[in-house]
Amino acid sequence: MTPLLDKASAAPRALTHRELVEILTWPDAKKLFAAAYAVKCREIGKFVSFRGLVEFGNVCEKDCYYCGIRRSNGKVRRYRMDADEIVREAEWALKAGYGSLVLQSGELTGEANVAFVENVLKRIHAIGGDDFGITISLGEQSEETYRRWREAGAHRYLLRIETSNPELYAKLHPADHSWERRRDCLRALRRCGYQVGSGVMSGLPGQTADDLASDIEFFASEDLDMIGMGPYIPHADTPLGMNAEWTPELRKARLELGLRMIAATRLYLHDVNIAAATALQALDPEGREKGLLAGANVIMPNVTETRYRADYQLYADKPCLNENSTLCRGCLERRIASIGESIHWNKRGDSPHWSKR
Ligand code: 5AD
Ligand code: FES
């Protein structure tokens, strides 16, 4: 090893900003990934946690310039599952031994939606009990809404900050989307007692290694429990993606950058849950395994009914569009065995960072 990787491995939050940049741009990527994987094995063991992902609707009030389901994209066939469908998929994930669930949809506000989600959460909690983890990823809401959903049974929340740089954020979103509001939502979620997860995209136009190092420092200063990050992948029907250059070389570099972010985050934070995002697999059939070997410990197998999957495309080349939940389960089981890791069946898989609080 080398002194800097040793220093990062020995204690969390040990690096200066400059050193974080150095780690992110480490010349020998293999060594970087191996160091991060060693920290992951020490802190968490050779285990992967599963979260069954239900993408229950793609109607969205937001208009992010990079996202395929932004409200101005008229090419999307919009759908919303009903409560029975969502509960059925949650039950499937429970029976499949996944131990926890993520409910995600486009961002909707308004009392009808708040009450709908509240009801679904109560039904799922009644079936799964406290041992079945329920994560929600439903965007920016009022603190009151977050509190109602927490009381209805959700106990983790994912809300990506997208970038810790407010100026870059402003370039990626219309003027009525606010970085400060997003950050304040993360703090409101903490007050409501959630395990809080956030993350960023890497490889955004105009983003620098400095920005990425600041992103990791943001995760630390907000004291996050879970991190979900992925490479930015242009979507042809979005303002940011429509004329984007997208070559095999760029894909390869984007994948590596995504892995470097995982590794640097593991080396800086040590005991948080880090997801190997599906976007990694959009860039490389083995992207998620590579993410695990670079320090991630969570995978979110899609449990959405196949007929909806094509309509929930945030980025190009989303994998598993034609697969069903059973196929994905078998596929992921084999993939994880192939790298010598075990699946934490039937475990909520709480963030160790959270458990130590
Ligand atoms: N490429 C990669 N990730 C994307 N997301 C949205 N659009 C893209 C894209 N084009 C991510 C955002 C969002 C999460 C649900 O999906 O980070 O928070
Ligand atoms: Fe869906 Fe591999 S995870 S087919």
Side-chain angles (χ1 to χ4, degrees):
M1 283 252 265
T2 64
L4 192 56
L5 292 180
D6 283 342
K7 179 177 163 189
S9 305
R13 307 180 185 209
L15 306 178
T16 64
H17 183 80
R18 277 286 117 229
E19 288 172 335
L20 256 180
V21 172
E22 216 179 303
I23 290 258
L24 277 165
T25 53
W26 201 255
D28 186 344
K30 279 212 181 92
K31 258 205 182 126
L32 170 67
F33 301 158
Y37 184 63
V39 171
K40 179 259 170 187
C41 290
R42 187 185 72 209
E43 299 288 328
I44 292 168
K46 289 191 86 157
F47 290 105
V48 180
S49 291
F50 274 6
R51 327 263 177 241
L53 173 65
V54 185
E55 298 157 335
F56 70 84
N58 65 358
V59 186
C60 193
E61 291 170 3
K62 287 288 182 76
D63 220 11
C64 310
Y65 295 151
Y66 46 83
C67 182
I69 64 166
R70 63 198 299 270
R71 71 162 183 255
S72 299
N73 183 3
K75 290 193 188 165
V76 178
R77 189 175 55 153
R78 303 285 169 174
Y79 72 92
R80 292 191 70 185
M81 285 184 198
D82 65 29
D84 288 347
E85 284 178 288
I86 305 172
V87 172
R88 205 182 318 125
E89 292 179 4
E91 269 184 304
W92 189 94
L94 179 67
K95 291 207 183 99
Y98 285 3
S100 78
L101 188 75
V102 178
L103 298 180
Q104 187 173 81
S105 75
E107 188 169 313
L108 289 178
T109 52
E111 174 55 28
N113 183 61
V114 176
F116 173 81
V117 171
E118 188 174 37
N119 169 264
V120 167
L121 289 170
K122 282 185 183 154
R123 287 180 57 183
I124 296 173
H125 188 242
I127 297 166
D130 286 335
D131 292 337
F132 188 49
I134 309 179
T135 306
I136 47 180
S137 177
L138 304 171
E140 292 170 15
Q141 305 285 343
S142 69
E143 186 159 345
E144 169 61 20
T145 295
Y146 287 149
R147 186 154 284 124
R148 277 171 67 183
W149 289 346
R150 175 82 184 84
E151 278 161 14
H155 67 114
R156 301 186 186 126
Y157 205 104
L158 298 174
L159 180 66
R160 288 190 182 175
I161 191 77
E162 314 299 358
T163 169
S164 63
N165 179 342
E167 280 144 45
L168 181 56
Y169 190 93
K171 291 188 187 135
L172 304 170
H173 300 93
D176 62 345
H177 293 37
S178 154
W179 185 89
E180 285 76 17
R181 189 165 67 226
R182 181 74 55 106
R183 183 208 49 206
D184 292 346
C185 281
L186 290 172
R187 295 179 180 171
L189 287 163
R190 169 78 66 217
R191 287 194 292 276
C192 292
Y194 286 91
Q195 293 179 41
V196 183
S198 190
V200 297
M201 288 177 283
S202 48
L204 291 162
Q207 191 180 42
T208 63
D210 247 329
D211 287 327
L212 294 173
S214 301
D215 290 343
I216 297 173
E217 290 167 323
F218 176 89
F219 304 157
S221 64
E222 295 297 320
D223 203 21
L224 298 173
D225 304 300
M226 321 178 286
I227 310 295
M229 320 174 270
Y232 164 61
I233 302 174
H235 187 298
D237 301 323
T238 62
L240 204 64
M242 64 184 149
N243 293 316
E245 197 193 343
W246 196 231
T247 59
E249 293 72 40
L250 273 172
R251 296 165 67 99
K252 205 162 162 262
R254 194 64 51 86
L255 172 74
E256 186 178 304
L257 185 64
L259 299 173
R260 282 174 178 273
M261 267 305 267
I262 290 175
T265 301
R266 176 62 70 201
L267 285 168
Y268 196 66
L269 296 179
H270 284 204
D271 60 357
V272 295
N273 277 344
I274 303 180
T278 310
L280 293 169
Q281 205 196 331
L283 295 178
D284 177 334
E286 279 161 24
R288 285 187 286 186
E289 294 91 295
K290 289 180 180 171
L292 295 173
L293 293 173
N297 68 308
V298 169
I299 286 205
M300 293 159 52
N302 202 327
V303 301
T304 309
E305 215 185 291
T306 309
R307 68 187 163 114
Y308 293 120
R309 294 187 179 193
D311 298 322
Y312 198 89
Q313 292 197 62
L314 312 184
Y315 46 80
D317 303 323
K318 178 185 175 185
C320 309
L321 290 183
N322 300 311
E323 277 73 17
N324 64 29
S325 306
T326 306
L327 276 169
C328 288
R329 185 177 187 273
C331 168
L332 280 168
E333 232 181 316
R334 280 191 301 280
R335 286 171 182 275
I336 284 159
S338 79
I339 57 168
E341 292 256 322
S342 308
I343 298 160
H344 246 162
W345 294 115
N346 297 302
K347 291 270 184 349
R348 257 169 49 154
D350 288 327
S351 160
H353 186 71
W354 162 266
S355 306
K356 287 180 205 159
R357 250 174 227 283

